[in-house]
Amino acid sequence: MAEVYDKQNNDGDSNDNNDMIDIKDTADSARNTEIKSNNKRESSTEHLTQVAWQRSEDGSYSSSSYINRDLSLLQFHLRVLAQAASPRHPLLERLFFLIIFSSNIDEFFEIRVAGIMQKLNMGDVSTSAHGMRPSEVLNEISTITHAAIAEQYRILNEDVLPALALEDIRYLKRDELNAEQSAWMKRYFTEQVSPVLTPISIDPAHPFPRLVNKSLNFIATLEGKDAFGRDINLAIVPAPRSLPRVIRLPDELTGGKEHHVMLSAIIHEHIGELFPGMNVTGCHQFRLTRNADLDLADDVEDIAKALEGELENRRFGDKVRLEVTADCPTPISDYLLNEFELHDNQLYRVNGPVNLTRLLFDFNIPALRYQPFTHVIPKEFRREMDKLDKATSMFAAMRKNDVLVHHPFHAFSPIINLLWQAASDPKVLAIKQTLYRSGTNSEIVKALAAAARNGKEVTAVIELRARFDEASNIAVANYLQEAGAVVVYGIVGYKTHAKLMLIVRREDDRIRRYVHLGTGNYHAANAKVYTDYGLFSADPDISEDVHNIFQELTGMGKPANLKKLLHAPFTLHDKLMSFIDDEIAHAKAGKRAHIIIKVNALTERRLIDKLYDASQAGVEIELILRSMCCLRPQVTGLSENITVRSVIGRFLEHTRIYYFYNDGDERLYCGSADWMDRNLFHRVEVAFPIVDKKLFKHIYQDGLLNYLKDNTQAWTLDGNGVWQQLQPAAGETPHIAQEHLLKTINNVQDPI
């Protein structure tokens, strides 16, 4: 989750284990010796939940069989918040978890709560599998979120800020400044702040201003007459977004210490100067959250132009939440609620700054951060880079074997290097790539532009509708088009979420294709904080499949008949259902049946129902889910053989892995798709098989068993929808999945 602050060279080595042990032997022994105690504890019948679920004659399950999606997502945010309270994390990382929680909650209100409110406006009836009405969901969200935000500020004020002060990192309040610091703050206000402030009086000629989503604002109460003799008692002062929210005091005033003052404190202290001749009787900061989801019709003629128009609307969507400081008088908060047409349960009083997402935290104090590490280059690429023909070394490595990278433990640079090699290689004819989240400063984008300028046929499939990255993606599209690349925006109505790169090269009078497929975005910064897998391959069948998918995205015709890849919205869901059916058949035949799934979310009802069927048939099912889970595990008669866990830690878990035992002929896929309705039916997604035994072993052990062993940063879900953090049992060695990978891949002995 938290950022990796590694500025070292990315050419480090790893402690590679070159043993070619049969995967079945390692899988069985690992299960028997490494995770037996955890599974026994989680699956014990004494932990089963009694839920009044039913099954109808048509095979469908009753609403009590499912957990509400939005409440499940909110529970994920609470697990993130819990990291801020944990002394296991370094102090500045705990502060960052508070900031992440604020950002997560902002988006939760902007998208999820706003969507539920829209449903409520259309009628308070349930349209989801869980059976809850919109009003019930909103009430539950309000109760949970009010308590969570109170806890967030308690952690900030009682735990984090006092601990930071002991390290001479302080956010000073107005009454904590000495005379020299106060004088400096007054000069700063006069020279830097006041010139860009625009106080707006509230009177018949000046109605309440239309405030931008999530902007910092102040409401001031006034006495006296203004320059025109008017009795005006209210004014709004928006804080321009161009101003920093946290200002560092000069070293000469602090002895070089990290002492800061909030912009809100500066404005509050000197707000009287904005109203000369009048008396400011009160000043209170507030923040309004609006609906930020984009409403884009499927029949638009130009997606880019339509999005540009919608991006402006995002700033002024429907109101969903009001934040004020804890000391804001009730008459003022009531006035604001009335002005914004919000109810009392949409008001959030906070004991501190109303926007923690812009709180400064990136201090260069290594002792208070995670230990940095060197991102490893896979040895297959290092070997080839040591040879003479460095310009095409990666192609030589990929011809020999598939190469796997596991970010952030492995470096992102091989992806960039492959593109730069392709851009300058005279044998390369064409490059095709999907881009979901990127930026014009990205090395990926620069390499694609260079390839186009060098005469390669470059095609970029850019998904403009990647939420909150729409403007950046439009800029990328314009940049690549100016370089001569062909830019397409995928398929209207279906987001292109697949992570694909295809390079076409002429070798000895024949055409050879090289591909990269991933579970994460082509974004170098994300690759330092998200766990993701990437596969480099020259496999002819996989390469041809990727070629056919690009043909679908840029042309027209029927769905491609793929040889190895699973492809949403066409084959992925059906194949997953059939794989589960195979496990059910094996279980009914008295054979071992086992499923392990690691994805970000599980919400798709038919897959949930099929997993219920599998559990009742005796299939062992282990789910590793980062955030949402609408399935109820460990329910008597319904899901006794299903366990669900979530691992929250230093990195954001993002790998998607699907494993099926298949009577010993094991299947293992990695992909871009979560098990959600949108991914499986409304997006272009790809899942790719791992057939190389060595790579299979790495993913199975590092990406699955390792996480099933975690007994410290893992949380388990019960049938009532309650998450509990695991603790090592008496005498049990603590195991943290992410730390284990840092030790074995990056040789970090004490990462946290």
Side-chain angles (χ1 to χ4, degrees):
M1 291 294 283
E3 187 175 354
V4 178
Y5 307 99
D6 177 21
K7 305 301 182 184
Q8 302 178 33
N9 192 316
N10 285 338
D11 293 333
D13 206 339
S14 65
N15 298 331
D16 290 306
N17 182 355
N18 295 317
D19 296 342
M20 295 300 291
I21 304 172
D22 185 76
I23 184 62
K24 295 184 181 64
D25 294 338
T26 60
D28 291 340
S29 64
R31 178 150 312 281
N32 290 333
T33 62
E34 294 180 340
I35 63 175
K36 183 176 180 181
S37 62
N38 280 348
N39 283 350
K40 183 177 180 180
R41 182 168 66 250
E42 293 174 26
S43 301
S44 173
T45 55
E46 68 187 44
H47 290 99
L48 292 180
T49 303
Q50 304 297 320
V51 173
W53 65 278
Q54 295 179 336
R55 193 169 188 182
S56 61
E57 293 182 359
D58 64 3
S60 62
Y61 291 90
S62 60
S63 61
S64 58
S65 305
Y66 309 98
I67 298 171
N68 175 267
R69 165 183 168 159
D70 298 296
L71 296 178
S72 182
L73 178 57
L74 186 54
Q75 290 297 320
F76 163 67
H77 298 325
L78 298 187
R79 297 197 295 280
V80 172
L81 177 61
Q83 308 310 305
S86 172
R88 289 205 69 263
H89 300 291
L91 183 56
L92 287 174
E93 307 298 347
R94 293 173 62 187
L95 176 61
F96 189 47
F97 277 114
L98 287 176
I99 294 170
I100 292 173
F101 175 76
S102 284
S103 179
N104 287 350
I105 290 297
D106 282 352
E107 183 174 343
F108 183 74
F109 275 89
E110 290 175 294
I111 305 300
R112 301 308 310 169
V113 173
I116 302 169
M117 290 174 62
Q118 288 179 330
K119 291 180 181 179
L120 179 61
N121 291 336
M122 293 185 290
D124 192 18
V125 295
S126 173
T127 58
S128 302
H130 54 77
M132 294 181 70
R133 301 194 311 275
S135 62
E136 294 174 325
V137 177
L138 288 173
N139 287 336
E140 188 72 12
I141 287 173
S142 177
T143 299
I144 295 172
T145 309
H146 275 91
I149 290 176
E151 173 65 5
Q152 176 192 21
Y153 281 86
R154 186 204 65 76
I155 295 170
L156 176 70
N157 294 316
E158 298 181 14
D159 297 344
V160 174
L161 290 183
L164 288 172
L166 294 176
E167 302 290 341
D168 273 331
I169 300 174
R170 301 189 64 190
Y171 301 89
L172 297 172
K173 298 179 180 179
R174 292 176 293 151
D175 59 5
E176 294 176 324
L177 300 177
N178 61 34
E180 288 183 330
Q181 293 168 339
S182 295
W184 176 90
M185 186 171 73
K186 179 176 177 61
R187 289 194 303 272
Y188 186 89
F189 176 82
T190 302
E191 297 172 2
Q192 303 291 332
V193 179
S194 180
V196 294
L197 291 181
T198 304
I200 303 170
S201 62
I202 306 299
D203 62 65
H206 301 86
F208 199 97
R210 192 181 185 197
L211 301 176
V212 175
N213 181 34
K214 297 185 297 185
S215 60
L216 173 64
N217 302 277
F218 297 84
I219 183 168
T221 54
L222 309 169
E223 288 181 346
K225 296 183 182 295
D226 70 357
F228 298 94
R230 298 172 301 175
D231 286 315
I232 297 175
N233 56 19
L234 281 180
I236 302 297
V237 182
R241 295 198 167 189
S242 59
L243 295 176
R245 294 300 186 257
V246 183
I247 300 93
R248 190 178 191 272
L249 292 171
D251 287 347
E252 59 268 22
L253 298 180
T254 65
K257 298 175 181 177
E258 291 288 355
H259 288 184
H260 305 77
V261 63
M262 305 294 294
L263 175 67
S264 55
I266 295 175
I267 293 177
H268 196 159
E269 178 70 14
H270 300 286
I271 196 166
E273 297 180 28
L274 301 176
F275 307 97
M278 303 187 74
N279 181 32
V280 178
T281 59
C283 176
H284 308 282
Q285 51 179 307
F286 69 94
R287 182 170 177 256
L288 181 67
T289 308
R290 296 178 179 272
N291 183 341
D293 210 2
L294 298 183
D295 185 15
L296 193 66
D298 290 340
D299 58 351
V300 297
E301 295 182 1
D302 188 319
I303 293 179
K305 288 184 178 179
L307 266 178
E308 287 175 337
E310 279 297 311
L311 288 175
E312 179 63 22
N313 293 337
R314 170 180 279 169
R315 302 171 69 219
F316 299 105
D318 292 338
K319 287 84 69 174
V320 297
R321 175 182 59 162
L322 173 64
E323 295 168 275
V324 300
T325 50
D327 61 354
C328 181
T330 300
I332 296 298
S333 60
D334 286 347
Y335 169 80
L336 292 172
L337 286 173
N338 182 67
E339 184 64 40
F340 299 137
E341 299 179 322
L342 295 174
H343 301 291
D344 288 343
N345 63 358
Q346 294 168 295
L347 173 69
Y348 289 80
R349 292 182 175 273
V350 300
N351 187 18
V354 297
N355 183 3
L356 293 186
T357 58
R358 295 185 66 177
L359 196 63
L360 189 65
F361 78 98
D362 194 5
F363 304 107
N364 186 23
I365 305 177
L368 304 183
R369 312 308 305 251
Y370 290 129
Q371 182 177 341
F373 63 94
T374 300
H375 302 271
V376 172
I377 302 291
K379 64 179 183 299
E380 295 88 348
F381 291 144
R382 294 199 305 275
R383 287 197 199 108
E384 295 300 327
M385 288 171 64
D386 291 337
K387 297 182 179 179
L388 293 177
D389 190 13
K390 293 183 179 181
T392 58
S393 62
M394 296 189 69
F395 297 116
M398 293 167 67
R399 284 195 297 272
K400 292 180 180 179
N401 296 104
D402 289 352
V403 182
L404 182 74
V405 290
H406 190 180
H407 306 302
F409 316 100
H410 288 118
F412 188 72
S413 56
I415 299 172
I416 298 172
N417 294 341
L418 179 62
L419 274 178
W420 279 115
Q421 287 188 14
S424 59
D425 184 355
K427 294 183 180 180
V428 169
L429 307 178
I431 304 173
K432 300 182 180 183
Q433 181 155 5
T434 60
L435 294 173
Y436 190 71
R437 298 188 190 276
S438 191
T440 53
N441 291 326
S442 163
E443 285 293 311
I444 293 280
V445 175
K446 291 178 181 177
L448 291 172
R453 296 189 189 102
N454 289 341
K456 317 297 183 187
E457 295 296 323
V458 176
T459 302
V461 181
I462 300 179
E463 181 48 70
L464 296 181
R465 294 161 294 179
R467 184 175 290 151
F468 298 119
D469 279 318
E470 298 92 347
S472 174
N473 286 346
I474 291 172
V476 168
N478 293 336
Y479 176 79
L480 289 175
Q481 285 173 329
E482 291 172 0
V486 175
V487 174
V488 297
Y489 303 135
I491 309 299
V492 174
Y494 296 86
K495 280 189 178 182
T496 302
H497 194 248
K499 325 300 181 185
L500 304 172
M501 178 198 301
L502 171 68
I503 297 171
V504 182
R505 194 169 186 261
R506 178 177 284 120
E507 300 174 1
D508 301 324
D509 296 325
R510 58 168 289 192
I511 296 295
R512 186 189 291 270
R513 300 186 182 102
Y514 298 84
V515 298
H516 172 271
L517 306 96
T519 66
N521 301 309
Y522 289 111
H523 194 293
N526 284 355
K528 291 184 178 181
V529 294
Y530 289 18
T531 67
D532 274 304
Y533 279 114
L535 181 71
F536 295 84
S537 179
D539 180 288
D541 289 342
I542 290 180
S543 300
E544 184 178 349
D545 284 353
V546 172
H547 166 78
N548 288 332
I549 292 173
F550 274 110
Q551 294 293 93
E552 286 180 355
L553 292 172
T554 60
M556 299 179 66
K558 293 183 178 179
N561 184 17
L562 304 183
K563 297 178 180 179
K564 289 187 176 180
L565 301 183
L566 307 182
H567 182 22
F570 305 113
T571 62
L572 179 55
H573 185 267
D574 288 346
K575 278 293 186 181
L576 293 173
M577 295 284 280
S578 70
F579 291 164
I580 301 173
D581 277 331
D582 289 344
E583 298 300 321
I584 292 173
H586 296 318
K588 289 182 176 179
K591 301 177 180 179
R592 176 185 171 191
H594 190 196
I595 297 170
I596 310 175
I597 304 299
K598 185 175 186 294
V599 291
N600 296 329
L602 170 60
T603 63
E604 203 281 310
R605 182 171 182 173
R606 279 176 283 178
L607 280 171
I608 292 174
D609 290 355
K610 186 65 71 174
L611 290 173
Y612 284 153
D613 294 345
S615 173
Q616 293 162 35
V619 179
E620 180 186 7
I621 302 168
E622 295 173 293
L623 305 177
I624 309 168
L625 307 175
R626 186 187 79 202
S627 59
M628 290 178 287
C629 179
C630 295
L631 174 149
R632 292 189 184 274
Q634 297 287 280
V635 173
T636 301
L638 175 69
S639 54
E640 294 178 4
N641 293 310
I642 303 177
T643 60
V644 176
R645 60 169 45 211
S646 175
V647 173
I648 310 293
R650 172 175 181 171
F651 308 116
L652 184 76
E653 287 301 326
H654 200 250
T655 54
R656 289 113 167 176
I657 309 168
Y658 323 141
Y659 168 83
F660 304 88
Y661 183 68
N662 193 34
D663 195 24
D665 186 16
E666 295 160 299
R667 296 166 169 147
L668 191 149
Y669 285 81
C670 294
S672 58
D674 294 311
W675 284 22
M676 303 175 67
D677 183 272
R678 70 182 189 190
N679 295 87
L680 299 168
F681 303 112
H682 305 290
R683 289 186 174 184
V684 177
E685 306 272 16
V686 168
F688 48 95
I690 304 299
V691 294
D692 181 282
K693 286 187 176 181
K694 184 179 179 182
L695 303 188
F696 189 119
K697 171 185 170 183
H698 278 307
I699 294 176
Y700 185 80
Q701 291 187 330
D702 291 348
L704 294 177
L705 296 190
N706 175 42
Y707 283 85
L708 292 172
K709 280 183 60 182
D710 195 312
N711 57 14
T712 304
Q713 288 295 124
W715 300 64
T716 58
L717 178 66
D718 69 20
N720 291 318
V722 177
W723 290 90
Q724 294 288 340
Q725 186 168 6
L726 287 178
Q727 299 292 336
E732 186 178 22
T733 302
H735 183 87
I736 301 172
Q738 294 181 357
E739 284 192 14
H740 172 77
L741 294 174
L742 284 170
K743 291 176 182 178
T744 57
I745 299 176
N746 306 95
N747 199 29
V748 176
Q749 297 305 311
D750 187 18
I752 299 179

